[in-house]
Amino acid sequence: MTTPATPHYPEQVTGMDILARALKEMGIQNVYGLVGIPITEAAYIIQGKGIRFVGFRHEQQAGMAAATEGYLTKKPGVLMTVSSLGFLNGLTATANATVNCYPMIQISGASDPTMVDMNVGTYEQLDQYNTAKPLVKAVFRCSKAEDIPSAVARAYRAAVSGRPGGVYIDMTTPALGQVMNASDADKLFYKPVDLYSPVAPNAEAVSRAVETLVSAKRPAILLGKGAAYAQIDDKIKTIIEKYNIPYFPMSMAKGLMPDDGPLSALSCRSTIMKEADVVMLIGARLNWLLSFGKGRWNPDMKFIQLDVAPEEIDVNVPIAAPVVGDMGLALDAILAGMEGKTMSADPSWLQSLQAETKTKNAKFSERLVANKSATPMDHWTALGVIKPIMESNPDIILVNEGANTLDDTRDSINMSLPRHRVDCATWAIMGMGMGSMVGAAVATGKKVVAIEGDSAFGFSGMDFSTACRFGLPCTVVVFNNGGIYNGVGKPMDNTADPAPTTLNINARYDKLGEAFGAKAYYVQTPDELQKAFTEAIASGKPCLINVQLAADSGKESGHIGYLNPAPLEQITV
C-alpha cells in the first residue's frame, strides 16, 4: 500500500509582514507610534524584525520624535498611527516636518478606500490620502500588499531628496491584511539606488556668488538650520575662518560655529541687518524670522542664497546671487572659486562687531547675575544656574520650547557643537518638547535636556512617560511661572473665571515625574536647582525638575509686532 504524499502548503505572509520587511530593508532602525486598529499586529511584527518600536501616548509626539530623528540623522524618521483622528494627530507633526525640511515618513492605517469613496460610514472613515496631500511633500496609497515595498522605497527617496520633508503612506486595511505566498512576496523587493543624488549648482551662479562675496565691504554669513541639517560643518568652518567673515546663526544653527567664537556676531543681529552690504544665507530662508529681508534690513543689501530649492529664491526680496543645488557641492565650488582671491572687507567692520559683541555680552551677563540669589526665582535666575552646567557639558542635546522660556534660553545658553539644539523652529509650534526629546535620545544615544515653559510642557507632558518606559537619558526642566507668558493675568471684570493666560502657579509637575517612576525634584532656590540639575544629568536616567518661578516672571513674548495688535495690558472691552 502506497503512503499518500504529504500535501505541500507554501509559506504565506501578510501585508503586515511585507511592511515590516520593507522598512527593515530600507535601513529603518526606529519606528515611533501609537498602536490600535488596524496596526497593532504590524507593530509587533516590526518589533520582531529587530526594529525598535517606540510607543507613545499621543501621535503628535511620536511624529515630533520621528521628525527630530530625521533632522539629526538625514534619514527619514518613521511615524506609524491608526486611522482617522490618530492619523490627524500625527499629520500635525508631518506637516511641521515638511515646512521645516525634516525627512520623515508617516504610515497610517486606513479604511478601505472603496468604502470611504462611497461614504458608507465604515470604521474611522476618512479620506486620509487627500487630507494629507496638500500638507506634505508626497503621498502614496497602498491598496494591495504588492504596493508596499515600492511605496516605502519611493517615500524614503521623496523624503530625503531635494528639499527634505514629510511623506505620507496611506496603508489600507486590505493591503495590511492581504495574504500572499512568501515566494511571491520575495519578488516584490528591490534595492533602490541613488536615494539621494546631489545636484551641483551651475558654474555661472557660483562665479556670481564669489564675485559678490569678495567685493563686499561689510560681509556676513547667516546660518540656518538647513546648514546644520546638511552636515557640511567643515566647509562652513573653512569659508568663515579662511576669509574672516562674521557669522550669525539662527536658533537651530547655533553650535555650527561656536556661539562665543571670535567671528560670532550672535549679539549683533540688528547691526548686520542695518549695515552689512552682502549677506550669504546658507540654509536659511528670508521669512518672518528675518523680517522677510525687508524693513530693518539695509535697502542696498545684496543677498547670496545657497538653497537646494529654486522656488525659494526671490521669495520676499530679489536675491543678487542665488546658488541652487546641493549645499555641500555649492560650498565646494564657492571655495574653489575664491581660491587666490582677496576679500575687500573693511577691517573696521569686523572690529566694530567684535566690540559690540563684547559690550552687549557684558550687559547680558549682568542680567544673568543681577538676581542670582532671588527667591522666588525668575527666568534669568534659573538660567544663570543652568547656563554654566550646560556649557560645560556641550555634548548634551538641548530641546527648548515655550514663550519666555524659549526666548531667554536661546539667548542665554551658548552652543558649541552642531545639531545639539532642537526647538519649535519655523512654525514656532508649541508641544514638540517631549517628542523631540525622545527622538533625539533614541536616534543619537546622547543625553538630552528639555527646558520647557509650563504652558509648553502641558501640550506633551504625558509623553515624559515614554522616556521613562524606555529608560532614556532625559532630563526635563519645567519653568513654572503659572501661566502663558506669566501667571499674573487679570480676567475681565465681568467674569469670575481665571484669565485666559493663567495656569497654575502651584502646579507640582514633579509629581508627574514620580508617577512614572522617574527621579523628580521640586526646587525653589538657585542652590536647590544647581544640585538637582547637576545630579539629574549625571544620572543618565529620566528625571524631571519642577522649577518654581515667581508668577510675575515673564512677559508677553514673541516680538512679532505685525501679528500682535496690542500688548496684553492695553486690551480693554
Side-chain angles (χ1 to χ4, degrees):
M1 182 176 179
T2 304
T3 303
T6 303
H8 172 69
Y9 298 105
E11 181 185 357
Q12 294 184 315
V13 294
T14 67
M16 292 178 280
D17 295 299
I18 294 170
L19 173 60
R21 178 177 167 184
L23 293 170
K24 184 73 172 180
E25 295 206 1
M26 290 304 299
I28 300 301
Q29 297 178 319
N30 307 302
V31 172
Y32 305 89
L34 198 160
V35 299
I37 297 172
I39 65 162
T40 303
E41 185 178 348
Y44 276 100
I45 296 171
I46 286 168
Q47 194 177 58
K49 290 286 187 183
I51 298 172
R52 196 176 197 185
F53 189 93
V54 184
F56 275 74
R57 304 295 287 268
H58 195 281
E59 293 92 350
Q60 180 176 311
Q61 293 311 305
M64 295 298 180
T68 299
E69 175 169 320
Y71 169 70
L72 294 175
T73 67
K74 296 184 72 175
K75 298 177 181 178
V78 176
L79 164 67
M80 180 173 285
T81 83
V82 299
S83 49
S84 188
L85 292 181
F87 151 78
L88 288 172
N89 287 340
L91 187 60
T92 300
T94 310
N96 188 58
T98 304
V99 168
N100 283 287
C101 310
Y102 309 147
M104 174 184 167
I105 300 170
Q106 176 177 345
I107 302 171
S108 293
S111 298
D112 184 339
T114 60
M115 299 177 76
V116 173
D117 292 344
M118 287 301 296
N119 195 23
V120 299
T122 188
Y123 177 73
E124 295 196 342
Q125 174 179 300
L126 178 66
D127 187 351
Q128 297 171 192
Y129 177 93
N130 285 305
T131 300
K133 197 168 187 178
L135 297 173
V136 300
K137 188 177 178 185
V139 293
F140 302 92
R141 174 180 283 157
C142 294
S143 296
K144 53 187 186 298
E146 289 90 340
D147 299 332
I148 294 174
S150 176
V152 171
R154 291 174 66 191
Y156 191 114
R157 186 187 301 277
V160 300
S161 297
R163 170 167 282 179
V167 178
Y168 174 64
I169 302 177
D170 207 47
M171 194 63 61
T172 67
T173 50
L176 288 170
Q178 182 180 334
V179 177
M180 293 182 64
N181 289 338
S183 57
D184 292 329
D186 287 342
K187 299 172 185 176
L188 303 174
F189 291 90
Y190 63 97
K191 186 70 174 176
V193 296
D194 288 340
L195 283 168
Y196 176 79
S197 185
V199 177
N202 68 69
E204 183 181 353
V206 171
S207 296
R208 186 187 302 114
V210 168
E211 292 306 316
T212 303
L213 185 60
V214 298
S215 66
K217 300 296 183 185
R218 299 179 303 280
I221 288 178
L222 197 153
L223 302 169
K225 66 179 176 296
Y229 169 82
Q231 298 188 18
I232 50 171
D233 314 339
D234 56 336
K235 304 178 198 302
I236 290 170
K237 177 181 172 68
T238 297
I239 194 168
I240 286 171
E241 293 186 344
K242 184 173 182 178
Y243 296 99
N244 228 29
I245 304 172
Y247 58 88
F248 177 89
M250 299 301 288
S251 180
M252 284 177 59
K254 283 166 64 71
L256 252 178
M257 295 289 291
D259 285 351
D260 58 358
L263 296 172
S264 174
L266 185 57
S267 301
C268 306
R269 174 185 177 127
S270 296
T271 301
I272 287 174
M273 292 170 73
K274 288 188 296 185
E275 298 182 18
D277 60 351
V278 172
V279 168
M280 176 184 279
L281 305 166
I282 304 180
R285 292 176 283 193
L286 289 170
N287 56 16
W288 68 274
L289 290 162
L290 290 170
S291 302
F292 308 103
K294 304 174 184 178
R296 292 177 291 169
W297 286 88
N298 175 2
D300 297 321
M301 173 71 67
K302 291 182 179 179
F303 287 109
I304 304 167
Q305 185 171 7
L306 276 60
D307 203 288
V308 73
E311 62 269 23
E312 193 56 46
I313 306 302
D314 298 333
V315 167
N316 287 308
V317 295
I319 301 299
V323 183
V324 177
D326 176 80
M327 214 166 295
L329 295 179
L331 277 178
D332 282 340
I334 288 171
L335 284 167
M338 292 179 71
E339 197 66 40
K341 296 183 182 294
T342 302
M343 291 288 291
S344 302
D346 183 342
S348 66
W349 168 240
L350 177 57
Q351 294 166 7
S352 67
L353 292 176
Q354 290 173 329
E356 181 180 345
T357 294
K358 184 176 181 180
T359 299
K360 287 186 173 179
N361 285 354
K363 289 182 178 179
F364 193 80
S365 295
E366 291 174 6
R367 178 186 293 179
L368 285 171
V369 302
N371 296 317
K372 65 179 182 179
S373 301
T375 303
M377 292 181 281
D378 62 16
H379 290 80
W380 301 111
T381 308
L383 287 167
V385 173
I386 292 173
K387 174 180 168 70
I389 300 172
M390 283 294 295
E391 291 177 2
S392 64
N393 291 273
D395 202 32
I396 293 177
I397 294 175
L398 172 61
V399 173
N400 185 207
E401 63 173 335
N404 293 273
T405 302
L406 172 70
D407 294 339
D408 298 344
T409 302
R410 179 188 61 234
D411 293 343
S412 299
I413 297 177
N414 285 329
M415 309 302 294
S416 56
L417 294 175
R419 294 168 296 281
H420 277 65
R421 178 181 168 84
V422 179
D423 61 33
C424 47
T426 299
W427 267 357
I429 186 169
M430 291 295 106
M432 44 68 67
M434 296 302 94
S436 288
M437 178 186 75
V438 170
V442 170
T444 69
K446 295 179 184 290
K447 293 180 179 180
V448 183
V449 167
I451 301 180
E452 302 272 308
D454 55 332
S455 172
F457 181 68
F459 285 89
S460 64
M462 281 297 289
D463 265 308
F464 177 65
S465 66
T466 302
C468 295
R469 279 183 288 118
F470 285 83
L472 301 175
C474 297
T475 296
V476 176
V477 181
V478 181
F479 281 5
N480 182 18
N481 65 352
I484 301 168
Y485 309 130
N486 57 50
V488 294
K490 295 181 180 179
M492 293 302 180
D493 292 340
N494 61 350
T495 180
D497 291 339
T501 54
T502 299
L503 297 174
N504 187 349
I505 190 65
N506 298 311
R508 291 293 301 271
Y509 298 105
D510 52 300
K511 298 296 184 182
L512 181 67
E514 289 179 358
F516 296 128
K519 177 69 174 177
Y521 306 82
Y522 175 65
V523 301
Q524 297 176 282
T525 69
D527 288 344
E528 290 172 350
L529 175 56
Q530 182 178 38
K531 181 177 184 299
F533 190 59
T534 302
E535 182 179 299
I537 62 175
S539 73
K541 297 178 180 179
C543 297
L544 193 152
I545 305 173
N546 182 7
V547 182
Q548 187 64 65
L549 302 184
D552 62 355
S553 176
K555 59 184 179 180
E556 193 279 334
S557 176
H559 315 299
I560 314 172
Y562 75 98
L563 292 179
N564 296 337
L568 290 178
E569 62 270 16
Q570 293 180 11
I571 295 176
T572 58
V573 291

